[in-house]
Amino acid sequence: KAGVTQTPRYLIKTRGQQVTLSCSPISGHRSVSWYQQTPGQGLQFLFEYFSETQRNKGNFPGRFSGRQFSNSRSEMNVSTLELGDSALYLCASSFSVAYEQYFGPGTRLTVT
Amino acid sequence: EDQVTQSPEALRLQEGESSSLNCSYTVSGLRGLFWYRQDPGKGPEFLFTLYSAGEEKEKERLKATLTKKESFLHITAPKPEDSATYLCAVQASPDDYKLSFGAGTTVTVRA
């Protein structure tokens, strides 16, 4: 079974720009979560989608948004990039709540 | 707010030297506790899920246990390939779908 895939793997953007990251979950998984990982803050929850509905959102500004499509694929968008947005963005998929989440390899975003 | 604290921050072991990692948590109703392994530059790899106090899970040289306040990850006779950062995460009930992670324990096993 193919794992969670994320594209692109690496991205370099300039302050003020916007970026869209993509995630394809494991086949059959309908829940997709996004996390930000930085050396200082560790892994922090961004949001979770199930059947195209956002069910939970972390403490991030409105510049961070996401969506899920009918095939469970998900995208997250960050607008007006700031230097502090440089991080590894991880997507995880799960069959349902309380089941283990499987992570993708992440997208390394660098904002200059 | 959910709190997860892992100790120690770093652990250096000699090959074959068994040890334990600690994960203490404060959560209003535990739905599940998860252990992950993360190698540098990669996404976390799922290891175990524990749901209730007294539960134990094993996989090769790793064994995870759970009490009402903490979880332990025991590494028996580690090998260099067990070197990684081990992350603990909790999921609260009933409507909280997020995982709250600890900062991790970085384990280095020397041959």
Side-chain angles (χ1 to χ4, degrees):
Chain A
K1 208 178 213 182
V4 178
T5 58
Q6 292 186 246
T7 57
R9 293 293 314 280
Y10 303 93
L11 208 49
I12 299 175
K13 290 287 187 178
T14 304
R15 271 183 304 175
Q17 287 186 314
Q18 74 164 19
V19 66
T20 299
L21 311 181
S22 182
C23 171
S24 292
I26 292 171
S27 177
H29 286 189
R30 294 167 63 191
S31 171
V32 174
S33 299
W34 289 89
Y35 295 83
Q36 181 196 66
Q37 187 174 32
T38 59
Q41 299 297 318
L43 267 155
Q44 293 188 292
F45 173 78
L46 281 158
F47 27 66
E48 187 262 354
Y49 288 89
F50 185 86
S51 292
E52 302 178 66
T53 300
Q54 185 183 92
R55 298 192 295 187
N56 209 355
K57 187 172 173 18
N59 296 324
F60 280 83
R63 300 185 296 106
F64 291 82
S65 63
R67 59 177 176 169
Q68 187 181 34
F69 302 96
S70 58
N71 61 359
S72 294
R73 192 177 68 84
S74 178
E75 289 181 346
M76 68 163 283
N77 183 276
V78 188
S79 63
T80 319
L81 284 166
E82 300 177 0
L83 294 178
D85 296 334
S86 295
L88 181 67
Y89 289 89
L90 292 160
C91 167
S93 78
S94 173
F95 178 74
S96 184
V97 67
Y99 285 77
E100 54 272 12
Q101 296 183 17
Y102 292 91
F103 284 81
T107 294
R108 172 72 63 185
L109 173 64
T110 302
V111 182
T112 62
Chain B
E1 186 176 318
D2 304 337
Q3 286 197 324
V4 182
T5 304
Q6 292 189 246
S7 62
E9 288 185 18
L11 193 59
R12 292 176 65 86
L13 300 172
Q14 200 67 33
E15 185 173 3
E17 178 188 2
S18 302
S19 188
S20 294
L21 284 56
N22 178 266
C23 170
S24 62
Y25 61 91
T26 304
V27 63
S28 54
L30 180 71
R31 196 174 184 95
L33 185 141
F34 303 83
W35 282 98
Y36 288 86
R37 167 197 170 121
Q38 186 173 27
D39 293 303
K42 296 188 176 182
E45 174 190 344
F46 170 75
L47 292 173
F48 303 108
T49 308
L50 300 166
Y51 291 107
S52 57
E55 191 174 359
E56 298 182 351
K57 293 271 181 76
E58 280 189 74
K59 180 181 178 180
E60 296 181 356
R61 295 177 293 282
L62 300 176
K63 179 180 177 180
T65 62
L66 181 65
T67 72
K68 288 186 177 180
K69 299 275 189 185
E70 57 193 349
S71 177
F72 293 93
L73 184 65
H74 308 278
I75 309 178
T76 303
K79 298 182 177 181
E81 53 262 42
D82 294 322
S83 297
T85 295
Y86 291 85
L87 297 162
C88 167
V90 297
Q91 187 173 44
S93 61
D95 299 317
D96 201 340
Y97 306 103
K98 72 180 182 189
L99 291 179
S100 297
F101 280 86
T105 294
T106 300
V107 174
T108 305
V109 183
R110 297 166 291 175

